[in-house]
Amino acid sequence: MFSTELYAQSKDGKSISEDTPALGTSLKKKIATSSISMDRSYQELSEDEREAIRSVYDNMPENDEPPYPLHGTRDIHRKMSQAQQYVAAKGVLTMTVDISSTGEAQSVSIYESPDPDIARVAALVLMETKYKPAICGGKACRMEYFFQVQFSRVL
């Protein structure tokens, strides 16, 4: 496992780069990028970012909210990039996590995976993550959290 000190977050919170460049270069390699700010809670996201998250939920009423990692997705992305250094998967990983009305992960369903090892790591990471529960009709409710990541091999 790598120390979190090996990684630096971008100023906009949408990427994570190596803190120290590889030997022989001054360029820091990006190890994770996202269209959504990784270091913000659901409430701290912009309206456009929240709408992008809500868009994967069919017919969600306007005042309802999906579940979301309590402290954003940075730790999830960081752990996935660490696993990727060992597995070197290439392709899409699509999963859902059943989140209780108290924000606890109950189970994980894997729909698509480029590699069984990366899927196991992702399931463990998503199960240990704490979530903001979904809001249905003004009350906390059980709902699935949709998680998808594209892995590519970087030399």
Side-chain angles (χ1 to χ4, degrees):
M1 196 62 104
F2 291 94
S3 164
T4 58
E5 295 162 4
L6 293 177
Y7 304 98
Q9 186 174 329
S10 67
K11 291 180 182 174
D12 66 359
K14 294 185 178 182
S15 67
I16 302 171
S17 299
E18 295 174 314
D19 194 33
T20 306
L23 188 61
T25 181
S26 61
L27 301 174
K28 296 177 183 178
K29 181 173 62 174
K30 281 190 180 177
I31 58 171
T33 59
S34 175
S35 61
I36 307 290
S37 297
M38 293 186 224
D39 60 340
R40 295 182 182 164
S41 68
Y42 186 80
Q43 274 61 35
E44 295 171 326
L45 295 174
S46 71
E47 187 58 43
D48 288 342
E49 290 173 318
R50 281 182 281 181
E51 189 52 42
I53 293 165
R54 290 171 48 82
S55 70
V56 300
Y57 297 87
D58 291 334
N59 303 317
M60 179 175 278
E62 188 176 322
N63 293 326
D64 287 1
E65 296 178 359
Y68 195 74
L70 203 54
H71 303 292
T73 60
R74 181 173 42 152
D75 284 342
I76 296 169
H77 286 285
R78 183 180 50 78
K79 290 174 183 176
M80 291 292 89
S81 67
Q82 290 170 346
Q84 172 65 350
Q85 291 187 17
Y86 294 103
V87 176
K90 183 177 181 181
V92 176
L93 174 66
T94 304
M95 307 173 90
T96 58
V97 187
D98 186 22
I99 307 299
S100 73
S101 62
T102 60
E104 298 295 320
Q106 302 296 301
S107 63
V108 173
S109 297
I110 301 167
Y111 296 99
E112 179 180 17
S113 177
D115 182 276
D117 291 331
I118 205 79
R120 279 192 287 279
V121 170
L124 289 170
V125 169
L126 292 171
M127 285 297 293
E128 73 180 12
T129 299
K130 300 296 181 202
Y131 298 85
K132 170 201 87 60
I135 303 297
C136 304
K139 295 180 180 181
C141 63
R142 181 180 207 137
M143 189 182 292
E144 290 182 331
Y145 171 66
F146 178 79
F147 179 78
Q148 187 173 61
V149 63
Q150 170 74 46
F151 291 101
S152 59
R153 293 185 189 133
V154 179
L155 301 175

